[in-house]
Amino acid sequence: MPVAGVDVGSVAAKAVIFDPQSRSLLGKAVLPTGWNAREAGEKALAAACADAGGIAASRIVGTGYGRISLPFADKVVTEITCHARGAVHLFPGTGVVLDIGGQDSKVINLDETGHVSGFMMNDKCAAGTGRFLEMMARTLELDMEEMSRRGLTWEKELTISSMCTVFAESEVISLIADNHTDSDIIHGLNQSIAGKTAAMAARAKGQPPYMMTGGVARNRGVVQALEEKLGAKLFISENPDLCGALGAALFALHGD
């Protein structure tokens, strides 16, 4: 019977239906978390089941910050552990998982067996996260897809040095007033995020290869900047924001 993983994050609730026989996803869903984590998890699971053709899961594992709000889950597992399990399934041999989510970022080191050997998280500030990018996109009056594209066509190197989201927004407004282009400003933001993440990876002292997960992995400008900072290629799956939910489904499959 298929199993399910539900990952309720601060910004989005993700769910997957995993087929043990084909070792692939039958259904998936990503929905806004909103104010009610339980409701978001229920809706994401229902949407994933519908995407799988109405198949019900035999076992469900929950993860993410909202995992304690999922009474329908047979078990809950931390997002650190689930991201590691999902990453190893997608990319065997992963040494470091770089997860940049909505409101936090994590560096997860894996040992030779694919288990977590250590991890590091950013501080409470949202700088360097998906929420940071969303706020800057609103300031620039762009959607996230356009912001990703424009960050690849920059010409002038700009430095956005503030570690605080509010102050960084002030820097962006000043750069706009000084008639800098959107592309150059976005590149500066991408460099800022990449710098914070690469510094955290260096402190964590993990060994490549690297895999990037979380919704920010869809931003090509951030990915490019981070690869330059790390001096290494990032492996990114087709659905990088589903890695935690996939890991949860694999825990449901094996019952561990």
Side-chain angles (χ1 to χ4, degrees):
M1 290 287 290
V3 293
V6 180
D7 176 11
V8 180
S10 58
V11 173
K14 291 81 65 175
V16 300
I17 307 298
F18 185 81
D19 178 26
Q21 294 184 331
S22 66
R23 305 289 294 179
S24 63
L25 297 184
L26 297 176
K28 59 184 183 294
V30 180
L31 301 174
T33 298
W35 63 273
N36 190 318
R38 174 177 176 172
E39 184 176 298
E42 290 173 343
K43 288 182 177 180
L45 177 60
C49 289
D51 188 47
I55 294 175
S58 60
R59 182 173 165 82
I60 303 167
V61 168
T63 190
Y65 99 100
R67 63 186 180 275
I68 60 174
S69 302
L70 306 177
F72 55 82
D74 297 293
K75 182 180 180 180
V76 295
V77 180
T78 70
E79 60 266 37
I80 300 289
T81 307
C82 285
H83 272 274
R85 176 65 68 91
V88 171
H89 174 81
L90 292 167
F91 184 38
T94 297
V96 180
V97 180
L98 304 174
D99 175 42
I100 306 181
Q103 290 188 337
D104 65 32
S105 56
K106 312 176 191 71
V107 175
I108 307 168
N109 294 339
L110 308 182
D111 62 21
E112 295 81 1
T113 66
H115 292 88
V116 177
S117 60
F119 69 92
M120 185 173 291
M121 295 181 66
N122 70 327
D123 55 24
K124 293 181 180 179
C125 180
T129 68
R131 183 70 76 186
F132 173 81
L133 281 175
E134 288 179 358
M135 291 179 64
M136 299 305 134
R138 286 198 295 269
T139 302
L140 293 166
E141 298 182 351
L142 299 171
D143 60 36
M144 296 299 290
E145 177 59 32
E146 189 170 11
M147 188 176 183
S148 174
R149 289 197 304 271
R150 291 198 186 188
L152 298 171
T153 58
W154 61 281
E155 295 180 358
K156 184 177 181 180
E157 193 84 47
L158 298 176
T159 300
I160 297 173
S161 58
S162 178
M163 298 294 287
C164 171
T165 303
V166 176
F167 292 149
E169 185 176 23
S170 296
E171 284 191 64
V172 168
I173 292 171
S174 295
L175 291 170
I176 294 171
D178 290 338
N179 293 318
H180 290 286
T181 67
D182 289 348
S183 296
D184 289 347
I185 294 171
I186 294 166
H187 176 67
L189 292 168
N190 293 343
Q191 288 289 322
S192 177
I193 291 176
K196 291 178 177 66
T197 305
M200 191 162 57
R203 293 196 302 274
K205 299 181 179 179
Q207 297 298 315
Y210 296 99
M211 179 174 178
M212 185 175 178
T213 64
V216 177
R218 296 182 183 277
N219 187 305
R220 290 168 291 168
V222 173
V223 171
Q224 187 179 85
L226 186 51
E227 288 180 334
E228 291 173 358
K229 298 284 186 185
L230 293 170
K233 183 72 175 177
L234 292 170
F235 176 81
I236 300 173
S237 69
E238 182 180 356
N239 299 291
D241 41 1
L242 295 178
C243 187
L246 171 61
L250 292 170
F251 274 107
L253 175 63
H254 297 293
D256 51 4

